Amino acid sequence: MSKMHHDTPMLDELENGPWPSFISGFKRLRDKHPDERINGVANDLLGQLEHSYETRKGYWKGGTVSVFGYGSGIIPRFSEVGDAFPKSREFHTLRVQPPPGNYYTTDMLRQLGESWEKWGSGLVTFHGQTGNIMFIGATTENTQHFFDEINGYGFDLGGAGPCVRTGMSCVGAARCEQSCVDEMKVHRSLLNNFTDDVHRPALPYKFKFKVSGCGNDCQNAIERSDFAVIGTWRDDMKVDQEQVKAYVAKKGRQYILDNVVSRCPTNALALKDDDTLDVNNRDCVRCMHCLNVMPKALSPGDDKGVTICVGGKRTLKIGDLMGTVIVPFKKLDTEEDYESLVEMGEEIIDFWAENGLEHERCGEMIERIGLANFLEGIGVDVDPNMVNEPRSSSYVRMDDWDEEAEKWFKRKAEEKQAAAG
Amino acid sequence: MQQHREPIESGCPDGFQYMHPIMRKNYGNWAYHEDPRPGVLLHVAHNGDKVWTVRVGTQRILDVFTLRKLCEIGDKYADGYIRFTLRSNLEYMVDDESKVEPLVKAVEDEGFIVGGTKNSVTMISHTQGWLHCDIPGTDASGVVKALMDELIDEFRAWNMPNRVHITTSCCQINCGGQGDIAINVQHTKPPKINHDLVANVCERPSVVARCPVAAIRPALVNGKPSLEVDEKKCICCGACYPPCPPMQINDAEHSKLAIWVGGNHSNARSKPTFQKLVAAGIPNNPPRWPEVASVVKRILKTYKEDANDWERINDWIERIGWPRFFEKVGLPFTKYHIDNWRGARKTLNASAHIRF
């Protein structure tokens, strides 16, 4: 232990215990890395972090750093205690977009690691809460060099600030039997249509796309994204009755009654005397619970598509909001289907860019102007699937009730005609 | 003047080029999955192809040495493909069952942890904290390391009634997200304003607009344009601090930690739910945050003993009711548990439904 090192008694404490320690990793960079620059950065970073632990305060400040041609994708950090810890004085993060589903080869991870130790701190996180690879700790100058290098072999920056943000998708069709949609295609169709809006922040606030292949919503899309695409199906779920019987034989009838039948939120399941499962598909809401318990016996149907929810977000400023159903079901089979999905994204972002207040998320705008006005703005017809229940307050003007009712009947007639071919 | 290079706006890269061949081949063609053991998944395709996944807990923020070590394991014991989950667990995929045990052993020999699947307590989703954030009330990686040390056996095993997602956030914006158990900073005192700096640092109208309760107004202080806070209105959320650092909200003593439960983003059984406050006023106590760990462990223990199979924490509380939850976990119920934000009436019990 050289005298040059900052003492870190509190952080040393985090090297104890069985879970892998990030502090040990920092120390490896400080003590074992061949590049002195990295040794110095890691040492001062540890010093500043210890200082935070002692004083229970953070010491990073934001600023303005970007790469040539872009206005976002970097989280600038300048130290407020840079005189004491000069080598980590500039410690910016580059947000880099991963492929949907976060797939890598070891070769690619190594290549990214090599580029990063050439220009950065040698610390990287897979992935941040917005879904980016976070390359943590570059100086202002090296930010550009690192970006140039990885941009040359296929990586691009994600969003930061009031722009379209990096998307997120679940593992999906690549390795999940519940997947009802080509998550990767949805994700890339949407994100790569808005590349300009990712790199050049010009929106009221952030806008996030997230994709989950089924109602389990492993990607947390409904709660955490402005535009959530959730895979679903609208025909009957598939039931392999032999497998159902095998489950019953293995687990017993009581287990299936307690854990499958009675846990159905709409009472759409019944276990018959011959140990087969009866599904009332008209009542089923595709919640995924019974498919989760018996993946071998139950599967999504064949007529697959997506439900789209708009306006989910976290706390700032009016409190947390879930996304609201805007499209109960949409097929995504043809190129035209994907084009219309992207157009819907454009329509929503355009309307919100036009009507949202400064720092107001799309869901907050919907809260402020009302869902009906939002739907009119984006040209989407109302649908009873958008509400948990109709209005309970009688304080509303309904001058043109007859016209609105007529619209509904006309639409229903058209749908009927279209279905009849 | 150096020549600037134009960026290649390639956006989000194609994932197929980095995907295990067996997954590429069977994209959209998986039939079912099984759980051979904690931390290992087996997916079977309609054509009988199989892929085993080994899920690995790491420190999340990786130094290049650790990254290379994980790649070495991937090359030597797996097929050279790696993916990461939403909660920053790493996954190795192999197409042959005989590779699973040596891979698991290699991972554990290097000090990483196999687990985090099915009804375990998986890795804690967390934020940046003192390491990189500009507005943190506490650390993130350190809290998570300390907690995972305590919960490691629950990560490695299938002891829980259903899966448990824990999150931490180092301010009230809650970037860590909703969780079955969420551990978040909760400020308890209004910002301390350095009036000498406000005029030069802050765009005052936008700071005024940020406040969710309209408690901030422009004011002249010591002859300088500044901002003042109506402290009776202030809810200490810290929203004014990011755009105006002279309005310091963080406080070594008065920025506390709060614990919330029942956030669940799945649609399974019930519609997605937000987390609810259960404990607050917990001291921000680095480097190990023992007071936080003790409350979290108490909640987990009660959930483990009391919930039925497949009940997430929100499902369990829905069944037993909130009064019994507070009784069972031994936490106080206070006036602060009663919501007073917009729409809060909906959270009150307007019925004769009472459990005895």
Side-chain angles (χ1 to χ4, degrees):
Chain A
M1 176 92 177
S2 132
K3 288 199 304 290
M4 304 304 291
H5 293 166
H6 298 292
D7 280 341
T8 54
M10 285 178 108
L11 298 180
D12 295 352
E13 187 54 44
L14 290 171
E15 292 197 90
N16 302 326
W19 194 263
S21 169
F22 68 111
I23 296 298
S24 304
F26 290 11
K27 288 188 178 175
R28 273 192 293 275
L29 292 176
R30 182 190 70 186
D31 302 336
K32 298 207 169 76
H33 200 279
D35 185 341
E36 273 182 29
R37 181 185 60 80
I38 286 189
N39 305 150
V41 170
N43 181 39
D44 276 354
L45 179 70
L46 281 160
Q48 176 167 334
L49 192 59
E50 178 75 16
H51 183 55
S52 278
Y53 271 56
E54 284 163 10
T55 58
R56 289 188 275 174
K57 282 268 181 71
Y59 295 97
W60 298 110
K61 279 293 154 270
T64 319
V65 175
S66 70
V67 297
F68 178 70
Y70 288 177
S72 91
I74 313 288
I75 308 293
R77 288 293 176 256
F78 297 91
S79 175
E80 288 182 304
V81 285
D83 292 346
F85 310 105
K87 288 180 174 149
S88 57
R89 182 189 295 272
E90 292 176 2
F91 201 73
H92 315 315
T93 283
L94 287 100
R95 287 181 167 178
V96 173
Q97 289 193 56
N102 304 333
Y103 303 100
Y104 303 92
T105 56
T106 47
D107 291 347
M108 180 43 74
L109 289 173
R110 280 199 173 91
Q111 194 175 352
L112 287 166
E114 272 161 37
S115 300
W116 184 232
E117 71 185 347
K118 197 189 308 177
W119 300 113
S121 70
L123 289 170
V124 56
T125 294
F126 295 92
H127 302 82
Q129 290 295 338
T130 299
N132 298 282
I133 317 171
M134 295 194 299
F135 291 94
I136 302 175
T139 60
T140 306
E141 187 188 348
N142 285 351
T143 299
Q144 183 72 50
H145 294 306
F146 176 70
F147 171 69
D148 287 345
E149 188 161 315
I150 64 165
N151 188 223
Y153 57 77
F155 285 90
D156 197 358
L157 293 187
C163 60
V164 170
R165 296 291 186 86
T166 297
M168 291 175 90
S169 294
C170 62
V171 66
R175 201 199 61 202
C176 183
E177 69 271 21
Q178 316 291 30
S179 167
C180 295
V181 58
D182 185 343
E183 299 84 359
M184 181 120 53
K185 189 171 165 123
V186 171
H187 179 133
R188 294 187 74 230
S189 303
L190 287 166
L191 259 291
N192 290 345
N193 178 73
F194 293 104
T195 306
D196 188 33
D197 288 305
V198 171
H199 294 143
R200 295 167 194 85
L203 297 172
Y205 198 14
K206 64 183 81 162
F207 194 96
K208 298 183 176 186
F209 291 100
K210 295 192 198 297
V211 189
S212 284
C214 76
N216 281 317
D217 195 1
C218 290
Q219 213 43 235
N220 212 342
I222 295 175
E223 263 178 8
R224 295 194 75 160
S225 71
D226 301 87
F227 191 103
V229 182
I230 311 288
T232 187
W233 69 96
R234 63 179 170 185
D235 55 342
D236 294 355
M237 77 163 76
K238 291 180 188 153
V239 185
D240 182 335
Q241 297 292 8
E242 290 313 306
Q243 289 292 350
V244 174
K245 287 179 189 169
Y247 264 99
V248 178
K250 189 171 149 200
K251 293 283 203 176
R253 281 180 68 84
Q254 193 62 52
Y255 181 91
I256 303 296
L257 290 170
D258 289 348
N259 292 288
V260 182
V261 176
S262 64
R263 292 224 177 271
C264 174
T266 54
N267 301 322
L269 300 174
L271 188 63
K272 307 306 256 188
D273 285 343
D274 62 357
D275 291 351
T276 59
L277 191 74
D278 210 16
V279 183
N280 179 346
N281 281 284
R282 293 288 288 168
D283 290 346
C284 166
V285 289
R286 281 66 178 163
C287 87
M288 302 304 296
H289 172 77
C290 60
L291 286 84
N292 293 342
V293 183
M294 307 201 291
K296 251 181 170 165
L298 308 175
S299 315
D302 289 321
D303 190 5
K304 295 180 167 93
V306 295
T307 298
I308 299 170
C309 295
V310 174
K313 56 175 281 291
R314 305 289 309 112
T315 315
L316 236 172
K317 136 179 180 179
I318 67 167
D320 297 35
L321 301 171
M322 301 271 185
T324 301
V325 172
I326 297 296
V327 180
F329 187 84
K330 177 176 174 53
K331 288 298 279 180
L332 280 182
D333 291 344
T334 64
E335 285 308 313
E336 288 74 36
D337 291 339
Y338 280 91
E339 277 165 30
S340 66
L341 176 77
V342 170
E343 277 164 20
M344 168 159 256
E346 287 173 346
E347 198 71 54
I348 288 170
I349 288 177
D350 285 351
F351 178 81
W352 166 66
E354 195 69 34
N355 294 283
L357 305 173
E358 165 80 11
H359 221 260
E360 180 179 58
R361 289 284 287 272
C362 185
E364 294 174 320
M365 177 193 70
I366 295 171
E367 172 106 356
R368 179 170 55 84
I369 67 177
L371 182 68
N373 284 328
F374 175 68
L375 294 172
E376 196 177 318
I378 60 167
V380 170
D381 290 323
V382 298
D383 187 292
N385 285 299
M386 295 171 181
V387 298
N388 282 331
E389 58 200 18
R391 91 166 30 248
S392 53
S393 163
S394 59
Y395 286 171
V396 55
R397 267 185 73 163
M398 298 193 274
D399 307 31
D400 48 5
W401 171 273
D402 289 346
E403 285 162 49
E404 292 299 320
E406 198 44 49
K407 276 188 202 168
W408 169 264
F409 289 123
K410 198 166 152 228
R411 226 168 75 213
K412 288 287 133 186
E414 281 166 5
E415 280 168 20
K416 217 167 168 176
Q417 228 170 357
Chain B
M1 181 70 196
Q2 69 180 97
Q3 244 346 85
H4 279 303
R5 167 188 169 279
E6 285 288 337
I8 305 161
E9 299 212 38
S10 49
C12 175
D14 178 6
F16 285 110
Q17 59 186 326
Y18 307 125
M19 202 186 279
H20 194 295
I22 201 94
M23 288 158 76
R24 260 200 309 263
K25 178 185 164 197
N26 292 294
Y27 192 82
N29 197 33
W30 297 98
Y32 65 91
H33 81 278
E34 288 176 351
D35 298 86
R37 52 165 286 183
V40 179
L41 307 167
L42 162 62
H43 285 83
V44 182
H46 287 292
N47 60 12
D49 283 357
K50 291 178 176 175
V51 66
W52 285 262
T53 301
V54 174
R55 187 171 289 172
V56 180
T58 72
Q59 59 269 55
R60 183 172 179 257
I61 177 163
L62 308 172
D63 55 288
V64 284
F65 293 112
T66 304
L67 182 64
R68 288 196 184 113
K69 190 174 281 176
L70 290 161
C71 288
E72 273 163 37
I73 296 171
D75 287 337
K76 204 165 161 188
Y77 296 95
D79 301 337
Y81 296 89
I82 287 176
R83 74 172 291 271
F84 295 87
T85 70
L86 173 80
R87 317 190 86 73
S88 296
N89 289 311
L90 178 147
E91 290 183 338
Y92 293 112
M93 282 71 58
V94 294
D95 55 11
D96 182 342
E97 189 172 11
S98 68
K99 296 176 184 170
V100 173
E101 283 312 313
L103 172 59
V104 168
K105 188 176 179 315
V107 166
E108 288 182 333
D109 286 350
E110 289 292 358
F112 303 106
I113 318 297
V114 172
T117 61
K118 214 172 138 187
N119 50 330
S120 65
V121 176
T122 186
M123 175 60 170
I124 300 172
S125 287
H126 65 93
T127 50
Q128 294 282 56
W130 288 327
L131 185 67
H132 201 265
C133 186
D134 58 336
I135 54 167
T138 186
D139 195 30
S141 312
V143 179
V144 169
K145 156 69 179 157
L147 271 168
M148 289 313 287
D149 277 344
E150 306 243 7
L151 301 174
I152 190 164
D153 291 341
E154 299 301 350
F155 181 88
R156 283 182 169 139
W158 291 333
N159 290 334
M160 291 289 158
N162 199 343
R163 66 190 64 238
V164 179
H165 291 161
I166 303 182
T167 69
T168 73
S169 293
C170 39
C171 83
Q172 283 169 235
I173 294 171
N174 190 4
C175 298
Q178 296 284 328
D180 292 297
I181 302 177
I183 303 141
N184 296 354
V185 160
Q186 192 80 25
H187 306 294
T188 60
K189 291 278 184 276
K192 292 197 183 89
I193 308 173
N194 182 340
H195 292 290
D196 295 340
L197 298 178
V198 171
N200 295 333
V201 176
C202 315
E203 199 183 323
R204 292 189 305 152
S206 68
V207 181
V208 169
R210 273 274 187 120
C211 181
V213 290
I216 303 174
R217 47 182 182 254
L220 217 55
V221 183
N222 308 331
K224 289 190 178 132
S226 184
L227 294 164
E228 64 184 8
V229 172
D230 180 342
E231 299 203 350
K232 280 209 238 3
K233 275 190 190 171
C234 175
I235 48 163
C236 314
C237 72
C240 51
Y241 175 55
C244 191
M247 298 180 75
Q248 178 59 260
I249 188 75
N250 292 308
D251 183 292
E253 198 50 47
H254 299 293
S255 288
K256 303 284 192 186
L257 289 149
I259 293 183
W260 308 67
V261 305
N264 176 359
H265 55 79
S266 169
N267 290 263
R269 298 169 303 285
S270 55
K271 293 181 180 182
T273 52
F274 285 136
Q275 60 211 23
K276 283 91 182 165
L277 176 74
V278 295
I282 300 165
N284 184 12
N285 202 356
R288 285 257 164 206
W289 292 270
E291 299 85 354
V292 173
S294 114
V295 178
V296 169
K297 278 162 58 180
R298 203 177 335 153
I299 294 169
L300 280 174
K301 181 172 179 285
T302 316
Y303 165 64
K304 191 158 128 182
E305 286 166 1
D306 201 62
N308 296 330
D309 285 359
W310 293 99
E311 281 180 337
R312 291 278 291 268
I313 287 184
N314 63 306
D315 298 320
W316 165 56
I317 298 172
E318 191 66 25
R319 175 171 59 82
I320 67 169
W322 285 100
R324 193 143 299 150
F325 169 84
F326 281 97
E327 183 190 319
K328 280 178 185 284
V329 296
L331 290 168
F333 183 82
T334 69
K335 68 178 184 184
Y336 298 112
H337 289 94
I338 299 171
D339 203 342
N340 59 357
W341 197 245
R342 64 179 70 182
R345 280 286 319 248
K346 279 198 166 54
T347 66
L348 307 183
N349 183 6
S351 77
H353 291 205
I354 309 284
R355 294 170 180 81
F356 295 104

